[in-house]
Amino acid sequence: MEKFDVVIIGSGPGGYVAAIRAGQLGLKTAIVEKDKELGGTCLNIGCIPSKALLTSSDHFSFAQKEAGKHGIVIDQVTVDLNKMLQRKDKVVKTLTGGVRALMKTNKVTTLEGIGTITAPGKVSVKSSKGETQEVEAKHIIIATGSVPMELPFAKFDGQTIVSSTEALSFTEAPARLLVIGAGAIGLELGSVWSRLGSEVTVLEFLPRIALGFDLELANLLQRALTGQGMTFHLETKVSALKIENGHATATASKGGEELTFEADKVLVSVGRRPFSEGVGADKIGVEFDEKKRIKVDAHYRTNVEGVYAIGDVIAGPMLAHKAEEEGIACIETIAGKSGHVNYNVIPGIIYTNPELAGVGLTEDQAKEQGIEVRIGKFPFRANGRALANEDAEGMVKFVAEAKTDRILGAHILQHAASELIAEAASVMEFGGSSEDLGRTCHSHPTLSEAVKEAALAVEKRALHIVNR
Ligand code: FAD
């Protein structure tokens, strides 16, 4: 039986990044993956394919609606959806192939099959051909991720009631797409198909979209998406979904009123649940919390000696970069270093147009925690580069602790918010203040100047707006 220092079950961003770090630190490592390709949800059916389609459909939308503003005349713009999907698949293939190559260069053994912990220190791997291999490991990391959550009355059928996986590969834009759930996945994939011609209706149980993000910016995003043609019904609870001849009728209630919605496809994007079926954690006595997430301590150790868990299968935001950081911290702990993740500085992004990005506390969260804060805001319509780009929607907003000026949160609505938020995250990681950021020289003309200006606005000294 081959012996390893570390065996990682699951090759998503948590698992494969942990494997790379383990390889770098000279640990004899194996990674077990049940799917054909490495990379997990993120690379195969999540972050990457969704962003590929978001970019392609954004270009289409630009050619249709925005190019004219720049004096670019395009007579007829059409979509070759097949080619768009092929490009997406090619991007995925390049990246999953890249992960396989990274496993080799870091001397990580890849084991294909379902990994099951049969006892502490022992993993059996059952391949798709039915062959079973046993390996021994000093340390086992469970990185088995998550899967889409179903509605109890609307099981996925893969045709009419679908999850994000199918919504990444529709072979034609559905005439009417109903999206249940206005979180990141629903808004992103709703945007894709809206841009490609679907009539998109979003139903959300809560009185707002984009829960967890700054409310003011989320409301602005909803307004922008409504302007792009998407329809929103908030405080709307779906209670039934009926399928007839491949079409769906959803019944919902809103303020005591019963509503019905007709659709050709229904994307259920109400969240994801941790996935640990088949890994055998329960059989060896690993403890789970009330949401069926594996319980770990600050060093990702479960209650069973030598068994760890990271990523979507444990508590915290279900995000690829969070899983990656946990993978690194977990391996560094195993290697006797001090692995650590700063959960106060994990950015979250919705990649619509404009994008909505946030890191740290929102104004409301700070208030709920009784922290006195000062707010600095700067709109992109006062930023030269945004105007030159004809892309001046949105704003930057900082939440700084009143007493110390330390930045507690940053929130950005802009086409490039996903890139701009990184600066705020870096400053926050070093415990920086709004003054630190406001006094940093930023290149001109750039969108990042709006980040600097919003930081200056905390002390009411922004330069290109009237400070109030
Ligand atoms: P996963 O990526 O889910 O990987 C788990 C792996 O374990 C899978 O490959 C699975 O096959 C394997 N596995 C499970 N059980 C076993 C077993 N017993 N044996 C062997 N293998 C097993 N996050 C972001 O940060 N940014 C985004 O833009 C973003 N966009 C998303 C868009 C969509 C449509 C979706 C669905 C998700 C998106 N996410 C995004 C979330 C992100 O994909 C997840 O947070 C991330 O993939 C979690 O990583 P993980 O390593 O914990 O698990």
Side-chain angles (χ1 to χ4, degrees):
M1 197 184 298
E2 193 164 3
K3 289 185 181 157
F4 292 92
D5 294 317
V6 187
V7 170
I8 301 163
I9 306 178
S11 73
Y16 90 73
V17 168
I20 292 173
R21 189 71 189 116
Q24 287 173 344
L25 291 172
L27 298 169
K28 189 177 178 204
T29 305
I31 192 160
V32 187
E33 175 53 59
K34 67 177 173 55
D35 287 350
K36 212 171 86 215
E37 302 297 343
L38 303 180
T41 303
C42 177
L43 267 61
N44 291 286
I45 49 166
C47 326
I48 297 300
S50 59
K51 266 79 250 175
L53 288 184
L54 277 156
T55 300
S56 296
S57 60
D58 195 38
H59 288 331
F60 174 56
S61 182
F62 176 83
Q64 265 186 324
K65 298 177 185 160
E66 303 297 322
K69 294 180 190 163
H70 293 264
I72 303 166
V73 182
I74 308 175
D75 278 340
Q76 218 198 346
V77 192
T78 53
V79 167
D80 181 342
L81 182 57
N82 197 23
K83 199 163 177 186
M84 199 181 275
L85 295 175
Q86 277 172 12
R87 191 195 79 89
K88 172 206 65 163
D89 293 340
K90 198 170 153 214
V91 173
V92 168
K93 206 168 162 210
T94 304
L95 287 167
T96 55
V99 171
R100 200 168 281 281
L102 282 167
M103 292 304 103
K104 276 206 187 110
T105 48
N106 286 286
K107 300 192 171 54
V108 174
T109 303
T110 303
L111 303 171
E112 182 262 311
I114 299 174
T116 306
I117 309 171
T118 48
K122 290 208 166 62
V123 176
S124 91
V125 182
K126 190 172 177 191
S127 78
S128 52
K129 291 184 194 130
E131 291 154 5
T132 301
Q133 181 184 354
E134 309 275 341
V135 292
E136 267 183 37
K138 282 191 212 142
H139 308 275
I140 299 169
I141 303 178
I142 303 172
T144 46
S146 63
V147 289
M149 226 144 55
E150 283 182 311
L151 288 168
F153 51 84
K155 300 277 173 215
F156 295 127
D157 63 16
Q159 288 298 320
T160 312
I161 305 178
V162 301
S163 73
S164 52
T165 306
E166 292 80 25
L168 287 166
S169 297
F170 290 153
T171 48
E172 59 180 334
R176 297 160 305 174
L177 173 67
L178 197 62
V179 177
I180 305 180
I185 293 175
L187 295 174
E188 290 182 7
L189 293 176
S191 280
V192 165
W193 294 108
S194 164
R195 292 169 190 165
L196 296 178
S198 300
E199 186 187 302
V200 175
T201 304
V202 183
L203 309 183
E204 170 58 57
F205 174 65
L206 296 170
R208 56 164 297 175
I209 68 164
L211 184 68
F213 288 82
D214 178 87
L215 180 59
E216 183 183 11
L217 298 193
N219 287 341
L220 287 174
L221 174 61
Q222 186 187 336
R223 201 167 75 187
L225 296 177
T226 304
Q228 290 165 27
M230 287 166 69
T231 304
F232 289 88
H233 289 271
L234 304 182
E235 295 182 271
T236 301
K237 187 174 183 217
V238 183
S239 53
L241 257 182
K242 210 172 72 196
I243 310 293
E244 231 166 349
N245 301 326
H247 297 287
T249 307
T251 309
S253 57
K254 184 178 185 174
E257 195 190 338
E258 190 172 284
L259 302 171
T260 55
F261 299 91
E262 306 284 329
D264 303 292
K265 300 243 184 237
V266 181
L267 165 62
V268 177
S269 47
V270 294
R272 297 177 61 81
R273 65 171 177 85
F275 178 81
S276 58
E277 279 104 272
V279 82
D282 47 346
K283 300 219 171 77
I284 57 159
V286 167
E287 283 178 14
F288 289 77
D289 70 12
E290 69 295 346
K291 291 187 176 162
K292 302 223 165 98
R293 300 173 297 198
I294 294 178
K295 270 197 196 170
V296 291
D297 68 7
H299 300 290
Y300 310 102
R301 293 182 290 224
T302 68
N303 59 311
V304 176
E305 173 121 29
V307 179
Y308 306 73
I310 55 166
D312 280 8
V313 80
I314 66 167
M318 288 185 167
L319 292 169
H321 40 287
K322 176 255 190 194
E324 289 183 20
E325 295 302 329
E326 289 175 346
I328 292 167
C330 181
I331 289 295
E332 292 190 345
T333 301
I334 288 171
K337 297 174 178 288
S338 56
H340 164 77
V341 176
N342 179 2
Y343 287 97
N344 295 325
V345 188
I346 308 251
I349 292 144
I350 301 183
Y351 294 80
T352 41
N353 184 3
E355 295 175 342
L356 178 56
V359 59
L361 295 183
T362 64
E363 194 177 347
D364 291 340
Q365 287 164 348
K367 281 183 188 150
E368 276 161 26
Q369 292 181 24
I371 306 170
E372 206 187 317
V373 293
R374 287 187 302 169
I375 304 297
K377 293 185 202 178
F378 191 83
F380 281 96
R381 67 182 143 71
N383 173 268
R385 184 63 189 275
L387 289 168
N389 291 356
E390 194 69 37
D391 216 351
E393 201 164 16
M395 66 159 100
V396 183
K397 183 171 178 178
F398 275 106
V399 180
E401 191 176 27
K403 210 161 79 188
T404 62
D405 190 37
R406 193 161 64 98
I407 300 172
L408 301 179
H411 309 277
I412 307 179
L413 184 71
Q414 215 278 335
H415 200 167
S418 56
E419 303 293 341
L420 294 171
I421 200 74
E423 181 187 10
S426 292
V427 174
M428 286 169 70
E429 188 61 42
F430 288 100
S433 65
S434 78
E435 187 182 352
D436 290 330
L437 208 157
R439 284 187 183 275
T440 304
C441 182
H442 286 64
S443 314
H444 175 76
T446 58
L447 299 171
S448 70
E449 285 174 294
V451 178
K452 172 192 167 101
E453 289 263 23
L456 288 172
V458 171
E459 294 205 320
K460 304 208 183 309
R461 44 169 299 212
L463 300 164
H464 294 87
I465 46 161
V466 179
N467 291 284
R468 290 179 212 283

